[in-house]
Amino acid sequence: MSSAKLNRWPSPRWHILVFLAPALSVYTALMVIPLALTLRQSLYNGVDGTLAFVGFENFSKLLFDPTWATSFWNALSNNLVFFVIHMALQNPIGIALAALLANPKLRLARFYRTAIFVPTILSFVVVGFVWKLILSPLWGVAPSMLKAIGLGWLFAPWLGREDSALIALSLISVWQFVGMPMILIYAALLSIPDEVLEAAECDGITGWSQFFKIKLPLILPTIGIASILTFVGNFNAFDLVYVSQGAQAGPNYSTDLLGTFLYRTFFGFQLQLGDTYMGATIASMMFLLILFGVCTYLFFVQRRLQRYQF
Amino acid sequence: MSRSPSILMRTIGAHVALGGYTLIALFPVAVIVINAFKSRAAIFSEPLTPPTAKSFSLIGFETISARGDFVSYFINSATVTGVSLALILSFGAMAAFALSEYRFRGNGLIALYVALGIMIPIRLGTVAILQLMVSAGLVNNLLALILVYTAQGLPLSVFILTEFMRQISADLKDAGRIDGLSEYKIFFMLVLPLVRPALATVAVFTMIPIWNDLWFPLILAPAEQTKTITLGAQVFIGQFVTDWNAVLAALTLAIVPILILYLLFSRQLVRGLTAGAVK
C-alpha cells in the first residue's frame, strides 16, 4: 500500500527497459535467433547454390537413408549408453560422497570437498590426455599398477578396443563430473534445518535410516535437478570424445556421440565435405531430444515431487 | 558409552571412503604435474615417483616457451573469460534486478524466456552462429567468442541473481527512494553490494566452462592469433605428441590458472548454493 502512495514508479518506467535491454538483446541475438535459424535451416537444402524448401526430407534422410541412418542410430545408441552409465554411477556416487561430507562433525570436510571437485574444473583437453596416458599400454601406469597388486592380467588397452572404448570413456566422464551432483546435493543436505533432524533423533531415527527416511526425500528435487543437468550435458557431449578419440570417434565410430556426429557432418573431415543443412538437421534432432527429455522431466517427475518449504 | 566405538568406526569409515575417493580424483592430475618436471627418461622409467634432484628437469617448459605461443594463448583466454564474465555479471544483475524488483506486464514470461536457456545448450545453434559471425566479419575475432559466451552465461546468471535479489528487504530500497535515490542508484549502491556472494557463485559457475571450452574456439576463432589456451594445448598435443616433456608442461600450464581461481572461490561456491540458489 505504502509503495503506491509514495508513487514508487514514476511512469513511464524507462529504467525497467534499461535494466532488461542488454541481457535480453545479447541472449536473443546470439542464442534464441541462431537456434531458431538452425531449426529453420533443417527444413531447407542447397541445390546448386539456391535454397530450396524440402520439408522434413532431411529428417527422413537422417532417420531412414542408410548413408545417414547408420551413423545417426549408432551415435544415438552410444549416447544412451553414455547417459545410462552416468545415471547409474555418477549420481549415486555423488549422493554417497555428499552424505559423508555433510556430517557436521567430520573434519577435513572442506579439503575433501575441494579435492573431489577438482576434476570437474579441468578442461577436457587435460582429462582426455591424462587418461589416455594412464591407460596406454605404451606408458603403462595402469598396467604396472595392476601388476603390482597381482592383477596384471586384467589390463587391456580399453580405449583402443571397440567393445570397451565407450564404457571406458563414460567412466572417465563420470570421474570428471562426479563433483557436480556431489556439490549440489551437499548444499541441499546442509540446508535441511536442524529442527527436522533433531525431531528425527527424538523419534530414534539416526544414522543410515535417518538418511534414507528423512534426508533422501528432502533432497529428491535436487537429485532431480542433478539428473536433468546430467542428461542435457550428456546429450550435448563432444569434447571428451574429440580430444581423446579424435573427430572420427574411434575405434571404428564406437565412441561416436551426437555431438561428434554433428561436428563431422557440419565441418566435414578427411574426404567428406561439410554439409550445413544436414548439420542443422542433426542439431535440430539434438534440440528435440533435449527438449523432450527436459519436458518429460518437468511434467512427470518434478511436478510429482513433494516440495518442502521450511 | 557403549555407542562410542561404533561412532569412532563410522568416522574412520567416512575418512577412508572420502580419502580413497580424493586419491582417485587427484591421482591423474598429480601424474601430469609430477612428470612435467622430470627428464624424458624418468617419465618413462618411473612415472609415479616425484622428481628427484637427479630426474628434475625443466626441458618441457623450455620447449614450449621457445616453440609455443602460450603467453598469447593465455592472454586470449584471460581476455575472453574476463570480458565475458564482466558482461554476464553486469547484464545479468541488471536484468535480475528488473525482474525481481518491478511488477510489469510480461515479467513472468520474460523470466521464463531467459530461464529456458539454462536447459538448452547454445552449441545447438552453432550452424547459424557461424553464419552470423561470418556475415558480421567477426570470425577469428575474440569478440565473437565474448558475445557467444555472454549469451551462454546469462540465463543461469539471471536465474540465480533473481533468487538472491528477492531476498533483499523492500524497506531498505524504499528508504532509499524516500531519500530521493534514483532507481539506478538503488541498484548500484544498495542492491549490488548485498548480492556480492551470489555474484561470486555465478562467476565460478560460468567461468569454468568458458575457460575450458573447445567447441567455439575451434569453430569461431581457430587462427593462431586468437587461439585460447585450451585450443592451443589441444593443437599442441597433436603436433608434439612425441615430445612428452613439452606436452606435460603445456597441460600443467593449462591447469594452474583455473585451479588457482577455483581455490580462491571454492568457499563461495557452496555458500552461494546453500543460500538458496538451487532449491
Side-chain angles (χ1 to χ4, degrees):
Chain A
M1 278 292 106
S2 64
S3 56
K5 274 183 215 150
L6 285 168
N7 191 15
R8 192 167 167 183
W9 300 309
S11 65
R13 290 141 68 193
W14 286 110
H15 51 269
I16 297 183
L17 200 67
V18 173
F19 281 130
L20 281 175
L24 285 184
S25 49
V26 173
Y27 172 69
T28 308
L30 286 139
M31 191 148 173
V32 180
I33 292 179
L35 206 58
L37 286 177
T38 303
L39 290 172
R40 198 182 79 114
Q41 207 155 27
S42 68
L43 304 175
Y44 285 80
N45 222 332
V47 184
D48 304 325
T50 53
L51 205 61
F53 181 80
V54 296
F56 292 102
E57 200 182 284
N58 292 334
F59 285 92
S60 74
K61 253 204 292 192
L62 185 66
L63 297 178
F64 305 112
D65 180 351
T67 45
W68 290 100
T70 324
S71 308
F72 173 73
W73 293 111
N74 173 48
L76 182 62
S77 67
N78 286 345
N79 230 149
L80 277 173
V81 172
F82 194 66
F83 173 59
V84 168
I85 293 178
H86 276 80
M87 286 302 283
L89 290 173
Q90 179 182 289
N91 293 347
I93 295 175
I95 295 168
L97 291 171
L100 290 172
L101 279 177
N103 177 356
K105 287 177 204 127
L106 186 84
R107 289 186 191 186
L108 290 175
R110 220 171 86 206
F111 164 74
Y112 291 135
R113 192 182 77 207
T114 310
I116 294 172
F117 202 76
V118 162
T120 310
I121 66 163
L122 295 180
S123 94
F124 291 97
V125 175
V126 175
V127 171
F129 188 78
V130 69
W131 279 103
K132 254 173 91 171
L133 213 65
I134 289 173
L135 295 179
S136 107
L138 191 78
W139 196 38
V141 176
S144 57
M145 278 173 70
L146 282 173
K147 226 175 263 168
I149 52 171
L151 292 172
W153 52 272
L154 207 64
F155 181 79
W158 287 299
L159 276 175
R161 290 181 12 176
E162 259 183 68
D163 54 349
S164 61
L166 181 63
I167 297 171
L169 266 187
S170 309
L171 293 177
I172 292 170
S173 174
V174 167
W175 169 83
Q176 184 179 7
F177 286 113
V178 95
M180 218 57 207
M182 179 195 79
I183 208 92
L184 292 175
I185 291 160
Y186 172 73
L189 285 171
L190 287 193
S191 57
I192 296 176
D194 291 337
E195 303 91 76
V196 175
L197 300 180
E198 279 161 18
E201 269 160 34
C202 289
D203 290 342
I205 306 173
T206 54
W208 284 113
S209 81
Q210 187 187 62
F211 178 78
F212 283 107
K213 286 183 183 156
I214 312 286
K215 292 178 180 168
L216 196 61
L218 288 173
I219 58 169
L220 271 185
T222 310
I223 296 177
I225 290 172
S227 307
I228 196 69
L229 288 176
T230 309
F231 171 80
V232 174
N234 284 171
F235 274 83
N236 181 38
F238 156 80
D239 310 66
L240 184 61
V241 180
Y242 181 79
V243 299
S244 58
Q245 310 292 77
Q248 302 229 48
N252 193 23
Y253 300 110
S254 60
T255 54
D256 202 17
L257 302 179
L258 290 170
T260 39
F261 182 42
L262 166 65
Y263 179 83
R264 273 203 318 278
T265 307
F266 184 28
F267 297 98
F269 67 103
Q270 293 184 349
L271 293 175
Q272 183 185 325
L273 284 175
D275 183 335
T276 313
Y277 301 96
M278 284 312 280
T281 310
I282 296 170
S284 304
M285 208 64 205
M286 290 166 73
F287 173 78
L288 294 176
L289 279 168
I290 289 174
L291 197 68
F292 173 76
V294 171
C295 290
T296 311
Y297 165 77
L298 288 177
F299 286 115
F300 294 103
V301 185
Q302 186 74 2
R303 259 201 342 194
R304 289 188 190 177
L305 288 176
Q306 185 107 31
R307 288 302 203 113
Y308 296 88
Q309 292 286 326
F310 301 121
Chain B
M1 286 310 282
S2 67
R3 283 183 54 197
S4 59
S6 87
I7 288 175
L8 183 70
M9 286 304 289
R10 202 176 288 163
T11 312
I12 292 174
H15 280 289
V16 169
L18 288 167
Y21 200 89
T22 301
L23 276 182
I24 296 176
L26 294 184
F27 170 72
V29 185
V31 167
I32 288 191
V33 177
I34 287 174
N35 286 294
F37 293 95
K38 290 192 333 204
S39 67
R40 187 178 162 81
I43 292 176
F44 279 94
S45 58
E46 39 205 34
L48 292 178
T49 41
T52 58
K54 210 176 126 223
S55 64
F56 181 82
S57 161
L58 287 176
I59 180 81
F61 292 94
E62 283 160 19
T63 311
I64 59 169
S65 70
R67 308 265 325 242
D69 287 315
F70 267 78
V71 177
S72 87
Y73 299 162
F74 183 85
I75 293 170
N76 287 340
S77 272
T79 311
V80 168
T81 313
V83 177
S84 309
L85 207 56
L87 294 178
I88 290 169
L89 292 178
S90 49
F91 292 178
M94 283 160 67
F97 181 66
L99 292 173
S100 64
E101 179 66 11
Y102 309 116
R103 282 199 210 158
F104 54 93
R105 203 177 293 171
N107 182 316
L109 272 181
I110 292 177
L112 184 71
Y113 172 72
V114 179
L116 283 178
I118 299 175
M119 289 296 180
I120 305 299
I122 193 168
R123 239 176 228 191
L124 299 181
T126 304
V127 176
I129 289 177
L130 180 62
Q131 287 162 348
L132 193 80
M133 293 302 175
V134 170
S135 57
L138 288 178
V139 172
N140 285 326
N141 185 329
L142 293 181
L143 187 59
L145 291 179
I146 290 170
L147 287 170
V148 168
Y149 292 142
T150 305
Q152 169 186 286
L154 275 171
L156 190 68
S157 148
V158 172
F159 181 75
I160 293 182
L161 294 174
T162 308
E163 297 273 311
F164 268 86
M165 286 182 185
R166 288 220 175 94
Q167 296 166 10
I168 297 174
S169 93
D171 292 345
L172 183 74
K173 288 170 280 190
D174 284 339
R177 290 192 177 95
I178 293 170
D179 287 346
L181 292 184
S182 72
E183 296 299 318
Y184 303 107
K185 280 198 171 149
I186 287 172
F187 171 69
F188 280 110
M189 293 167 65
L190 297 180
V191 174
L192 267 193
L194 285 174
V195 294
R196 252 195 322 223
L199 291 174
T201 308
V202 174
V204 183
F205 265 116
T206 46
M207 172 184 72
I208 294 168
I210 296 175
W211 182 274
N212 286 337
D213 188 41
L214 187 61
W215 177 270
F216 283 112
L218 197 61
I219 289 160
L220 295 177
E224 185 61 24
Q225 71 275 11
T226 51
K227 265 194 197 111
T228 60
I229 197 157
T230 307
L231 180 58
Q234 166 69 10
V235 173
F236 189 83
I237 289 175
Q239 285 171 348
F240 292 79
V241 78
T242 48
D243 188 345
W244 291 56
N245 290 96
V247 169
L248 291 166
L251 291 177
T252 303
L253 288 183
I255 295 173
V256 169
I258 195 80
L259 198 63
I260 291 173
L261 283 172
Y262 166 64
L263 292 176
L264 286 177
F265 279 114
S266 70
R267 210 193 290 188
Q268 291 290 352
L269 191 71
V270 173
R271 195 182 296 166
L273 285 173
T274 43
V278 181
K279 259 190 182 166

